[in-house]
């Protein structure tokens, strides 16, 4: 019998990979792997060209550079991440290595290359071993950083700062220039220079240089043996280059650095900050981030904690003489080899979180600013206030500190004290204590806005007064759908009016303009959002930091009941909206051409692939479809159609869900149901579900194979998350039965992570499901509560007391709630066959949670199978594992809901055979 079962399973497995076994129109696993998807779409500077990749879920793809108004297009085989030059004469894309070569050659496989395409005649030039590339702003020059040769790579194991070869191409003349051992490079914004630094094998050629495009010659800015130059940063509009300068010792560890400025107009270097200028507990290092303000008057940079620098220095100290005598009784030497972490009750962060955040904390930059016009610098951040915002405002910025609240963040939310920081003196003044959200500075630095306790506030920095903006408005500015035990958040700031004269703030549906000088307020969407259940949001098409007083605004819209999308317009200074485009589709703006009004966007629906469209301008009166991917979708597969369904939860709450039916849906037939859910899913009504092999089911695959897919919304209650999920979902399933859609004996339930928990819990409360798949679930809240989220190092306590798990109290305060909401305590009530999946390197949900559920069900002789995937995180990453899980998931539902096959792994398991 077992041999027969093996043959049946093999045939079923092959059937999943080949269309020949299924009826025509069924989406197979091979189809999923081959399904092409548009990647990294871009519109050119003038809007005349589009560049994008077309790649399948598995296998080789290509890039296309396509004219926006005619049929001209150039295909780059194996091309990825293509871009078009600003002058629209060239396009370039990385050239990937074929997957078959990667799998066969593995580490010996060749590196990616580059394809350069002339948009005048389509001629393609190929370059090998290209790590990255960049066009100059005028797109007349192309710089390519190469992968190192094997010999140089071996040297780089010792000296990680060693540079790589760079090829610079004059695209007008096709003349090439080679620069060896380039450690970093940067084009200036005016396209006059390429700055680059060199770190070579013996240190004698180290320095920082600029290549002048006019003379096609190199200038030495500074050249020092064993020098190390980094953070090359050009001013936005001026020919000035800032950088850090340090030296490398014999272990290739860089010294304290200096901040320098080179001025192209006079070819002079200015030392702005010397290492000796810093205080004893701080160090200026090459590990840095440098930013010019747009007006060119200030240069932001960072200081490092000297204690952290000392830790790095110790790791670079020469090793002790290996020939020296060893005292086997030297206590200090013996103890040095101990393996131990000391957990103290007063630690700001628990040890696991300390470890995960170590590199971030070690390399943290404490913001400082150099005033170029005043020739002085000021350190702004320190240990008491470690975070300072880099802003364009001339006189002040904002700083924040979570230091006083780090211990309680283990079980509570994240809080900060907020400060106004004087850029000229570094002096700070606290204006907010223990804020759970964020504060935002106005562009000119006159005001700070923040949300707290369901209202928005405006703090006047000059007068030090605070005004509650929303207290007298009779609509809520807090999240109306919030169902977590944390403080209720707001909907955010939409922008600031120029000269700091107003601030735009969202409620759930509408946009409000609050004057900063008067007590006036304008609902610029005229209340149409709330009246029509339409959510309006501003879509900025430029990078301006302020909105014009009378500016015409482009709005996106989403209907909260009908779930469709569109575009509207409004004015910043008056009430009312005008419809531009709205359909039963989903629209997404991708980009606007920098030098034209052309807008790149996608249109999609469940059964319409999101091809690329262009609108001539923001009115959307003239639009055209550019790409034609999957126009034969319905001809090839029984893809299905999505529609809304509604019902009342057990407590009378209005609920909605998405039902996806096959194209050949027969109203006289009842279908097996595959339910997939998390929280709110009806906003996906018009989402095209791109077939991808991963931890979740591919909707079209199930629909094309005669299932109906159900995507219900779930509304939660604090303290009763499992019960709330049950009373939301079960009536929705019953509604499908009442409508004649669902076969009541063929109901399937699938969830992963949070919905994996819901799945495990729901089947303890009802026996209506014929099969359930639960991926990475929490099964025992009492043990999970004091566990660790290993990927972040955080204790899981905050999750139950404040966020997703929604208990709202500690385990000690409310142990009964943790027990009542834990599936493991009710495993004896389960009658539904369950497939559990978990990766044993899960950093979000401890995989032991699945073991607990498996053991509990096994103890009570329940129908359970547990798939443990080795060395896998919360979501499976290895393609072989993803495909295996997808196949088994489909086999599981087919077996229990359709009676197809007799998979031995379901019926009698698989023995361990030493692998």
């Amino acid at each position: 019998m077992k041999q027969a079962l093996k043959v049946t399973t093999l045939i079923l497995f092959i059937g999943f990979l080949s269309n020949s076994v299924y009826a025509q129109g069924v989406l197979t696993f091979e189809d999923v792997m081959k399904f092409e998807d548009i990647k990294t779409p871009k519109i050119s500077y003038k809007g005349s060209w589009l560049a994008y990749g077309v790649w399948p879920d598995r296998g080789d793809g290509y890039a296309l550079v396509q004219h926006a108004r005619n049929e001209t297009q150039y295909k780059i085989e194996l091309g990825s991440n293509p871009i078009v030059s600003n002058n629209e004469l060239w396009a370039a894309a990385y050239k990937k290595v074929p997957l078959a070569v990667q799998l066969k050659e593995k580490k010996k496989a060749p590196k990616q290359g580059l394809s350069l395409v002339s948009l005048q005649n389509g001629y393609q030039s190929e370059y090998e071993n290209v790590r990255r590339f960049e066009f100059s702003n005028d797109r007349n020059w192309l710089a390519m950083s190469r992968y190192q040769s094997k010999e140089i790579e071996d040297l780089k194991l010792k000296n990680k700062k060693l540079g790589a070869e760079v090829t610079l191409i004059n695209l007008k003349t096709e003349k090439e220039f080679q620069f060896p051992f380039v450690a970093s490079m940067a084009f200036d914004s005016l396209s006059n220079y390429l700055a680059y630094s060199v770190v070579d094998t013996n240190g004698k050629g180290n320095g920082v240089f600029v290549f002048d495009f006019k003379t096609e010659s190199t200038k030495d800015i500074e050249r020092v043996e064993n020098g190390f130059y980094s953070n090359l940063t050009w001013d936005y509009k001026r020919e000035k280059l800032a950088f850090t300068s340090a030296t490398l010792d014999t272990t290739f560890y860089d010294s304290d650095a200096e901040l320098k400025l080179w001025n192209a107009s006079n070819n002079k270097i200015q030392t702005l900050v010397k290492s000796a200028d810093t205080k004893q507990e701080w160090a200026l290092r090459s590990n840095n981030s440098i930013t010019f303000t747009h007006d060119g008057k200030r240069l932001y940079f960072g200081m490092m904690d000297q204690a952290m620098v000392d830790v790095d220095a110790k790791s670079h100290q020469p090793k002790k003489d290996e020939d020296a005598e060893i005292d086997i009784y030297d206590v200090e030497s013996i103890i040095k080899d101990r393996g131990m972490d000391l957990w103290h009750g007063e630690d700001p962060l628990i040890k696991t979180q300390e470890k995960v955040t170590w590199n971030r904390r070690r390399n943290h930059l404490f913001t400082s600013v150099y005033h170029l016009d005043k020739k002085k610098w000021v350190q702004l951040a320190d240990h008491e206030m470690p975070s300072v915002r880099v802003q364009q405002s001339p006189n002040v910025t904002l700083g924040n500190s979570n230091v006083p609240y780090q211990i309680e963040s283990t079980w509570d939310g994240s809080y900060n004290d907020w400060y106004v920081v004087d850029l000229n003196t570094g002096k700070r003044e606290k204006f907010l204590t223990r804020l759970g959200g964020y504060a935002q500075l106005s562009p000119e630095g006159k005001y700070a806005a923040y949300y707290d306790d369901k209202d928005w506030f405006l703090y006047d920095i000059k007068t030090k007064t605070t005004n509650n903006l929303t207290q007298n408005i009779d609509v809520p500015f807090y999240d109306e759908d919030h169902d977590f035990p944390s403080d209720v958040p707001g909907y955010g700031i939409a922008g600031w009016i120029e000269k700091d004269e107003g601030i735009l703030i969202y409620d759930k549906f509408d946009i409000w303009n609050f004057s900063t000088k008067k007590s006036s307020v304008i609902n610029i969407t005229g209340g149409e959002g709330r009246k029509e259940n339409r959510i309006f949001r501003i879509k900025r098409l430029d990078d301006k930091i302020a909105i014009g007083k009378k500016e015409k605004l482009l709005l996106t819209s989403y209907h909260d009941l009908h779930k469709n999308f569109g575009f509207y317009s409004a004015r910043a200074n008056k009430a009312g909206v005008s419809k531009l485009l709205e359909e039963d589709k989903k629209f997404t703006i991708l980009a606007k051409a920098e030098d034209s009004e052309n807008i790149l966007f996608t249109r999609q629906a469940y059964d319409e692939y999101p091809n690329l469209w262009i609108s001539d301008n923001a009115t959307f009166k003239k639009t055209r479809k550019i790409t034609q991917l999957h126009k034969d979708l319905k001809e090839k597969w029984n893809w299905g159609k999505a529609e809304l369904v509604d019902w009342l939860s057990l407590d009378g709450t209005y609920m909605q869900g998405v039902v996806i039916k096959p194209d050949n849906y027969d109203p006289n037939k009842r279908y097996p149901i595959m339910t997939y859910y998390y929280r709110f899913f009806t906003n996906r009504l018009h989402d095209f579900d791109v077939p991808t092999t991963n931890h979740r089911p591919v909707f079209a695959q199930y629909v094309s194979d005669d299932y109906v897919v159900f995507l219900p919304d779930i509304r939660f209650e604090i303290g009763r998350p499992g019960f709330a999920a049950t009373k939301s979902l079960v009536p929705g399933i019953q509604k499908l039965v009442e409508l004649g859609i669902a076969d009541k004996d063929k109901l399937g339930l699938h969830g992963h992570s949070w919905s994996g928990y819901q799945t495990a819990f729901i089947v303890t409360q009802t026996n209506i499901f014929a099969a359930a798949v639960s991926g990475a679930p929490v099964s025992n809240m009492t043990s999970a509560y004091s566990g660790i989220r290993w990927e972040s190092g955080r204790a899981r306590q905050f999750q139950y007391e404040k966020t997703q798990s929604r208990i709202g109290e500690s385990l000690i305060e409310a142990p009964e709630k943790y027990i009542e909401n834990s599936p493991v305590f009710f495993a004896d009530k389960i009658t539904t066959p369950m497939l559990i999946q978990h990766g044993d390197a899960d950093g979000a949900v401890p995989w032991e949670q699945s073991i607990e559920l498996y053991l509990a069900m096994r103890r009570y002789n329940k129908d359970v199978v547990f798939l443990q995937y080795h060395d896998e995180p919360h979501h499976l990453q290895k393609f072989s594992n993803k495909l295996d899980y997808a196949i088994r998931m489909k086999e599981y539902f087919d077996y229990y809901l359709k009676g197809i096959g007799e998979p031995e792994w379901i019926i009698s398991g698989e023995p361990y055979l030493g692998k």
Side-chain angles (χ1 to χ4, degrees), residues 499-667:
K499 298 183 180 180
D500 288 3
E501 293 189 6
I503 180 173
L504 302 179
I505 297 176
Y506 295 124
D507 70 19
K508 179 176 179 178
F509 299 101
D510 292 303
I511 309 168
W512 302 72
N513 183 342
F514 294 88
S515 171
T516 57
K517 296 181 179 180
K518 300 176 273 184
S519 58
S520 62
V521 57
I522 303 171
N523 183 332
I524 67 170
T525 47
E528 288 297 310
R530 187 166 295 275
K531 178 182 176 183
E532 299 292 333
N533 281 291
R534 188 173 281 110
I535 296 172
F536 290 117
R537 294 296 181 256
I538 294 175
K539 179 64 179 181
R540 300 292 287 164
L541 299 176
D542 55 44
D543 57 359
K544 294 178 181 177
I545 60 176
I547 294 170
K549 298 176 186 177
K550 300 180 180 180
E551 185 175 332
K552 188 176 183 179
L553 302 170
L554 175 62
L555 309 182
T556 62
S557 72
Y558 166 70
H559 200 289
D560 198 35
L561 291 180
H562 301 155
K563 315 301 178 184
N564 62 316
F565 293 77
F567 300 119
Y568 284 68
S569 66
R571 291 283 181 182
N573 64 329
K574 62 181 182 179
V577 294
S578 298
K579 183 168 70 174
L580 303 174
L581 175 67
E582 189 170 49
E583 298 178 29
D584 284 334
K585 307 284 184 181
K586 181 176 181 178
F587 299 96
T588 304
I589 292 178
L590 302 179
K592 175 186 171 296
E594 291 185 51
D595 196 35
S596 79
E597 296 302 309
N598 289 358
I599 294 173
L600 178 65
F601 69 99
T602 61
R603 188 185 86 175
Q604 63 180 296
Y606 168 76
D607 55 357
E608 179 182 341
Y609 180 80
N611 277 290
L612 302 178
W613 292 65
I614 284 183
S615 174
D616 286 351
N617 51 48
T619 65
F620 293 90
K621 290 182 179 178
K622 293 183 180 180
T623 64
R624 55 193 180 278
K625 185 179 180 181
I626 305 299
T627 63
Q628 303 291 333
L629 223 61
H630 302 299
K631 60 182 179 181
D632 58 350
L633 195 73
K634 294 282 199 176
E635 298 169 16
K636 292 175 69 174
W637 298 295
N638 186 1
W639 197 266
K641 190 81 174 176
E643 60 187 53
L644 283 174
V645 64
D646 56 43
W647 67 93
L648 297 180
S649 72
L650 291 178
D651 61 4
T653 302
Y654 179 75
M655 305 293 299
Q656 289 181 297
V658 175
V659 174
I660 308 172
K661 301 175 181 176
D663 288 324
N664 61 349
Y665 175 77
D666 181 354

Side-chain angles (χ1 to χ4, degrees), residues 410-434:
T410 303
W411 59 86
D412 203 344
S414 177
Y415 300 100
N416 279 274
D417 293 336
W418 286 83
Y419 301 80
V420 174
V421 184
D422 190 308
L423 294 176
N424 293 293
T425 65
K427 290 182 179 179
R428 67 191 63 153
E429 184 169 351
K430 187 191 297 186
F431 71 101
L432 281 174
T433 301
R434 195 181 168 81

Side-chain angles (χ1 to χ4, degrees), residues 313-341:
K314 286 181 181 179
S315 67
H316 284 80
Q317 289 177 356
K319 294 180 180 179
K320 289 185 177 181
D321 185 2
E322 293 181 359
D323 296 328
E325 277 191 36
I326 298 175
D327 182 354
I328 63 172
Y329 300 108
D330 180 9
V331 173
E332 287 190 14
S333 296
I334 297 171
I335 291 176
K336 274 185 179 179
D337 291 332
R338 68 184 180 272
M340 183 271 291
D341 293 321

